[in-house]
Amino acid sequence: MAAKDQIDGLKFEQRHGKERVRVGRVWRHGKDGPHFFVEWNVSVNLLSDVLPAYVNADNSDIVATDTMKNTVYVKAKECSEQVSVEEFAILLAKHFTSFYAQVTTAIIKIVEKPWERISIDGQPHNHGFKLGSERHTTEVFVKKNGALGVTSGVEGLALLKTTKSGFEGFVRDKNTILPETRERMLATEVSASWSYHFDSVSSISTAPLRFTETYLYVKDVLVNTFFGPPKEGVYSPSVQATLYYMAKAVLHRFPGISSIKLKMPNIHFLPVNLSSKDNPVIVKFEDDVYLPTDEPHGSIEASLGRTHSKM
């Protein structure tokens, strides 16, 4: 997405912003109540009517990127009540499109660092946190006319199961050496992003915003679909099939989500067989000893959306 202009018969697109603005925010609930903490990495991009800055060296309509950075901290301070990463992104985008006449669209991307509350002797600690793994993400755009797009996501969701996975019936040619199997390890690091039905700022003004709860529930659905029931699990005939089952389960469970995109690299654990001229069987693979690898890896991604959604 970029602001578009015509210059001397040529198409010109531009936008500008501030990347990787890091902010931490603590909310304290009473003198002895629990503290809530978030750490965000914020990116701001503005589509603006600032063509003179490029063609005439006229900066009079440029919003300085340093101002964008400062605005992130000002708005974080103004949030006296705890907000989700999506709500903060919407708040920022609305500010830039309403405060500056020349800004036509604001695009906010935020990655939330996974600080998690710790427990001591089974009790949640009031102000103690440890760093987790997967990251909560969002991308929001707000246009001058009130149009709104909200996407949430998760990155770094590492999943592995030691059985109930296979791969058979694929194309074989002179370059194929991969054996078919109905018994293998399946590991991946899921990146998922899903879009909500919201299409305007006014459409969320009275709706209860439960972005954080939805994020946690979507993550649970993805994980549960990948693994299946605790005892018997569920068989995966391919990463492609499992990806589709996961995406379909999310859309079935959450009517407020219009589409979802999943990227699931196939991270390989290779069977270990060791032999030598003098000893033909040093280690014989019996579904027990593997060589973990992270590259090269298979790359599988797909999107699934409702027929009326804009993907």
Side-chain angles (χ1 to χ4, degrees), residues 249-291:
V250 169
L251 293 185
H252 177 75
R253 174 65 177 79
F254 303 98
I257 292 177
S258 59
S259 64
I260 182 169
K261 179 178 181 180
L262 287 170
K263 184 174 183 180
M264 294 174 55
N266 189 4
I267 300 173
H268 304 300
F269 283 72
L270 305 180
V272 172
N273 286 291
L274 298 181
S275 63
S276 70
K277 183 179 178 179
D278 299 326
N279 188 350
V281 181
I282 299 175
V283 172
K284 181 182 179 181
F285 178 71
E286 296 176 321
D287 297 318
D288 52 359
V289 180
Y290 299 82
L291 171 63

Side-chain angles (χ1 to χ4, degrees), residues 122-166:
Q123 293 188 344
H125 200 284
N126 269 5
H127 53 266
F129 300 84
K130 66 178 179 67
L131 194 59
S133 53
E134 61 267 15
R135 301 170 297 281
H136 184 176
T137 67
T138 192
E139 180 173 347
V140 167
F141 74 79
V142 171
K143 296 185 177 182
K144 181 76 77 179
N145 63 7
L148 168 71
V150 180
T151 299
S152 298
V154 60
E155 294 179 350
L157 179 59
L159 305 176
L160 178 151
K161 58 183 180 180
T162 54
T163 188
K164 293 287 184 175
S165 174

